[in-house]
Amino acid sequence: MVWQEFAMLAAAHWLALISPGPDFLLLLRNALRHGRRNGVGTSLGIACANGAYIVMALAGFSLLQRSPFWLTAMKLLAAAYLAYIGWAFMRVSRSPRSPAPTGEAGLEHVRAGFLGGFVAGFFSGGLNPKNGLFYLGLFTLMVSAGTSMEIRMLYGLWMFAAVFAWDAGLVFAISDARIAAHIERHFARAEWLAGAILLLGGLALAIAGLS
């Protein structure tokens, strides 16, 4: 029974995980422009944001679902953030990527890069109310009321690990020198396009939140 429940939960989570969205675009862009360490930081930030929503779902926290005010506020925050990072993508898409510094300056650059990626990833995942509603729906619809909290926690731990492993795997794949060389030629255009998609997505989310 538990294995069947886990299989259905894992399948639904996997389908959502591989679907491109704002987190996916941010992850690819950060890995290509700022390097592998920043991309891994972004992956961890996204996973931690998902982990926070998983904990809320496990605790039965459904404030966003019960309160139209807070749901609208979250949508507007998410819209503003999406529009901001979309504009940032478009603004820097024409700027060249500088090589990473070395020595002590390089170490500080690496730390800032990882932390910068983590913060960006955490905000991207955290300011998406669909993530919270998705996990709440998963645990509500697919997990039996008789399933113990220990098993539910294992489900949540697995989903957190799956998010990080998938995103970090993408980072390592696209930051490979051979793959990056193929992407390099079209990187600026792809970054501008990703920014335009995020900007339009933010505007659409804002309109939907106010309607």
Side-chain angles (χ1 to χ4, degrees):
M1 180 66 180
V2 171
W3 286 109
Q4 292 177 348
E5 186 176 80
F6 173 73
M8 291 189 298
L9 194 73
H13 182 251
W14 178 254
L15 290 174
L17 188 60
I18 63 176
S19 301
D23 293 347
F24 179 80
L25 294 176
L26 176 69
L27 181 72
L28 295 187
R29 182 263 183 183
N30 280 5
L32 289 171
R33 175 165 284 274
H34 300 300
R36 183 174 291 177
R37 291 181 183 272
N38 186 277
V40 172
T42 304
S43 302
L44 184 59
I46 293 171
C48 286
N50 279 260
Y53 278 124
I54 290 170
V55 171
M56 292 179 188
L58 287 171
F61 182 74
S62 56
L63 177 61
L64 291 179
Q65 192 177 44
R66 297 196 311 264
S67 173
F69 171 79
W70 287 111
L71 181 58
T72 299
M74 179 64 78
K75 286 182 177 180
L76 293 178
L77 282 174
Y81 183 71
L82 285 179
Y84 168 74
I85 61 175
W87 172 80
F89 281 18
M90 297 172 69
R91 181 174 60 86
V92 302
S93 63
R94 298 182 182 277
S95 63
R97 286 180 287 169
S98 57
T102 58
E104 289 297 322
L107 181 60
E108 291 301 318
H109 172 80
V110 166
R111 290 174 179 171
F114 180 87
L115 291 177
F118 176 85
V119 171
F122 187 82
F123 273 99
S124 179
L127 287 176
N128 188 350
K130 292 182 180 179
N131 286 340
L133 297 177
F134 170 73
Y135 285 112
L136 183 64
L138 275 186
F139 282 102
T140 300
L141 299 176
M142 295 191 173
V143 178
S144 170
T147 301
S148 67
M149 180 55 69
E150 290 78 10
I151 296 298
R152 296 185 184 208
M153 290 174 65
L154 288 176
Y155 291 165
L157 182 61
W158 181 89
M159 287 188 284
F160 168 83
V163 171
F164 178 69
W166 171 255
D167 288 347
L170 286 176
V171 168
F172 277 87
I174 65 174
S175 59
D176 180 83
R178 292 171 298 180
I179 298 177
H182 289 293
I183 300 175
E184 183 74 27
R185 183 179 303 176
H186 306 287
F187 176 76
R189 292 180 182 177
E191 186 176 34
W192 188 93
L193 180 60
I197 292 173
L198 291 173
L199 180 59
L200 291 175
L203 294 176
L205 184 59
I207 293 171
L210 294 173
S211 61

